[in-house]
Amino acid sequence: MPALVLLGAQWGDEGKGKATDLLGGSVDYVVRYQGGNNAGHTVVVGDQKYALHLLPSGILSPGCTPVIGNGVVVDPSVLLSELSGLNERGVDTSKLLLSGNAHIITPYNVTVDKVTERFLGKRKIGTTGRGIGPTYADKINRVGIRVQDLYDESILTQKVEAALDVKNQVLTKLYNRRAIAVEQVVEELLAYADKLAPYVSDTVLVLNQALEDDKVVLFEGGQGTLLDIDHGTYPFVTSSNPTAGGACTGAGVGPTKISRVIGILKAYTTRVGAGPFPTELFDEDGEALRRIGGERGVTTGRDRRCGWFDAVIARYATRVNGLTDFFLTKLDVLTGWEQIPVCVAYEIDGKRVEELPYSQTDFHHAKPVYEMLPGWNEDISKAKTFGDLPKNAQAYVKALEEMSGAPISAIGVGPGRNETIEINSFI
């Protein structure tokens, strides 16, 4: 049975929660493999809307086991608060599995994140200030705190001491902040141990055994391809690998076990935070996309920057992820435009470029080259098949498919769980 990866093919916020939820009833496990509570998914079930920040979307699907993999960084207070909120709404969260090798976001990671971003001023990256980057930095520097460390006070204390040896020097001497006490951090972290204990597991073993037993496992990425630390618009990126390769390291499964890679594409383009964005709109069209699409970050609450569809980055996402399918979301938002521009290439220093430039400088100077496609005015939210769509909407989807380099197998025509056209089954 298949192991599937589902990820964002733009700068995040493409509607991965809706796509994961659609598949949730058909899979046995849904796994978050990277990122932290800097990523958010909105899932609409009936008249209920759920905002998930750290938990896999599969937690809303009865019978599905949600997993937080080793590649995720976890803020215990956020996780427990999110679980509590779902429990109060009648959602069963008892099946959640949390990797003992996932790294913990500590209070000092959050502090360092916030003071560093303020210190950068105009050069700031646009982080969420939730300690994600500093936690991944600690992981790479081998001074990170893992979930399993909460169950050995001696090891936990040694690791916190090692981390604060350097961080307190930076906080006090560079940023003029008060030093953080080791004992205070240890006490706060130990208070989470008993509450998290029911969920802690060897998730690598569980997932590999599940695949050997012909279970269907869906790996869910946070953020998006263009925010990948290696393959995104560096340095305006996240601190992990949302691309397909991140699923292998972030969940502990081999690449030969992955059978399908599904990219989520919004019918236009958005991003949150700083960084280049060739198709960004600063006019009434951009404001209309933001308003109609409800483009406000699930986790950050920040307005998203909006622009027309960019086929150049879609082709790039297909390449670096090895995408087998696309799920196109929010097609309904484009209803009402007489013509819809689509970026088919860039102009850089007077030359037409059809592939994403690897140079940061070139990408900053890229100007979109647009092709105009006819729009439609018909309400498409009730469409159940591709043939139900207006002819111009069908033509728009087919054009995006041809430009992006992989088949569009599902189309979102509204925010609800049932407002989706399935063209080809993902499983």
Side-chain angles (χ1 to χ4, degrees):
M1 297 297 290
L4 306 95
V5 179
L6 189 147
L7 52 85
Q10 294 157 316
W11 276 286
D13 305 310
E14 302 94 346
K16 293 180 291 294
K18 176 182 174 66
T20 307
D21 182 62
L22 174 70
L23 295 167
S26 304
V27 302
D28 300 296
Y29 294 80
V30 175
V31 187
R32 269 290 301 275
Y33 59 83
Q34 50 74 226
N37 58 302
N38 58 338
H41 299 318
T42 299
V43 180
V44 179
V45 182
D47 60 352
Q48 295 291 309
K49 180 182 288 188
Y50 297 88
L52 305 176
H53 305 281
L54 194 53
L55 291 169
S57 301
I59 200 159
L60 299 175
S61 300
C64 179
T65 300
V67 180
I68 296 176
N70 57 275
V72 179
V73 290
V74 178
D75 185 322
S77 64
V78 171
L79 177 58
L80 292 169
S81 175
E82 198 166 336
L83 288 168
S84 176
L86 289 178
N87 289 334
E88 289 175 3
R89 297 177 67 178
V91 177
D92 179 17
T93 63
S94 62
K95 297 181 72 172
L96 174 69
L97 300 180
L98 169 63
S99 172
N101 288 337
H103 279 247
I104 294 284
I105 299 174
T106 66
Y108 53 78
N109 292 136
V110 177
T111 299
V112 168
D113 196 1
K114 290 179 178 178
V115 298
T116 302
E117 189 78 346
R118 281 199 294 269
F119 183 78
L120 288 172
K122 293 181 179 179
R123 294 179 292 111
K124 65 183 180 181
I125 302 300
T127 75
T128 58
R130 287 167 167 77
I132 310 297
T135 304
Y136 276 115
D138 280 359
K139 178 178 180 177
I140 298 303
N141 287 325
R142 290 160 291 191
V143 292
I145 310 298
R146 298 194 293 180
V147 171
Q148 62 173 282
D149 297 331
L150 301 181
Y151 304 97
D152 189 319
E153 185 174 351
S154 176
I155 288 178
L156 177 63
T157 303
Q158 292 175 45
K159 288 190 172 185
V160 173
E161 286 175 344
L164 286 179
D165 275 347
V166 176
K167 285 180 175 57
N168 275 335
Q169 294 291 322
V170 173
L171 287 171
T172 58
K173 296 181 179 178
L174 178 60
Y175 297 123
N176 196 31
R177 295 291 294 260
R178 185 180 304 170
I180 298 173
V182 172
E183 298 78 11
Q184 180 181 342
V185 173
V186 171
E187 182 180 356
E188 182 174 335
L189 294 178
L190 286 175
Y192 297 121
D194 288 344
K195 296 175 183 177
L196 293 177
Y199 308 108
V200 180
S201 174
D202 181 354
T203 57
V204 173
L205 178 61
V206 169
L207 292 173
N208 278 281
Q209 286 181 335
L211 289 169
E212 290 169 8
D213 292 339
D214 290 335
K215 303 295 184 182
V216 182
V217 180
L218 177 65
F219 300 94
E220 174 187 66
Q223 291 91 26
T225 296
L226 274 294
L227 290 179
D228 188 278
I229 186 69
D230 286 297
H231 304 293
T233 49
Y234 190 90
F236 302 99
V237 292
T238 193
S239 300
S240 57
N241 293 108
T243 45
C248 298
T249 54
V253 299
T256 56
K257 295 184 178 180
I258 294 172
S259 56
R260 209 155 182 181
V261 183
I262 305 162
I264 313 304
L265 269 181
K266 195 176 287 185
Y268 49 100
T269 311
T270 63
R271 80 171 295 176
V272 171
F277 184 179
T279 67
E280 184 172 11
L281 296 170
F282 302 95
D283 57 10
E284 292 179 358
D285 284 333
E287 183 54 40
L289 288 173
R290 185 177 298 110
R291 174 176 47 81
I292 299 168
E295 297 299 348
R296 181 176 289 268
V298 177
T299 296
T300 64
R302 294 181 288 185
D303 284 342
R304 296 175 185 141
R305 300 157 63 191
C306 296
W308 299 121
F309 185 85
D310 189 332
V312 180
I313 66 172
R315 285 194 293 274
Y316 177 75
T318 301
R319 182 177 300 114
V320 298
N321 292 297
L323 295 179
T324 60
D325 304 83
F326 278 118
F327 188 135
L328 184 69
T329 63
K330 291 197 169 183
L331 183 64
D332 54 300
V333 174
L334 296 180
T335 298
W337 268 271
E338 184 176 344
Q339 288 190 310
I340 305 172
V342 172
C343 174
V344 297
Y346 301 144
E347 181 185 309
I348 302 174
D349 295 331
K351 296 181 180 179
R352 182 184 172 103
V353 176
E354 297 191 354
E355 301 297 344
L356 194 78
Y358 80 92
S359 163
Q360 176 183 339
T361 301
D362 284 348
F363 195 53
H364 271 277
H365 292 98
K367 298 178 181 178
V369 176
Y370 287 117
E371 179 178 314
M372 305 302 292
L373 298 178
W376 60 92
N377 291 309
E378 300 91 333
D379 178 10
I380 66 171
S381 63
K382 301 295 188 287
K384 299 300 180 184
T385 68
F386 187 70
D388 292 338
L389 293 174
K391 294 299 182 183
N392 286 351
Q394 292 182 34
Y396 185 81
V397 172
K398 290 177 180 177
L400 266 52
E401 181 177 74
E402 183 176 348
M403 294 174 188
S404 302
I408 293 175
S409 295
I411 303 167
V413 293
R417 174 180 271 184
N418 298 319
E419 294 177 311
T420 301
I421 297 170
E422 291 187 68
I423 301 173
N424 297 305
S425 174
F426 290 120
I427 299 177

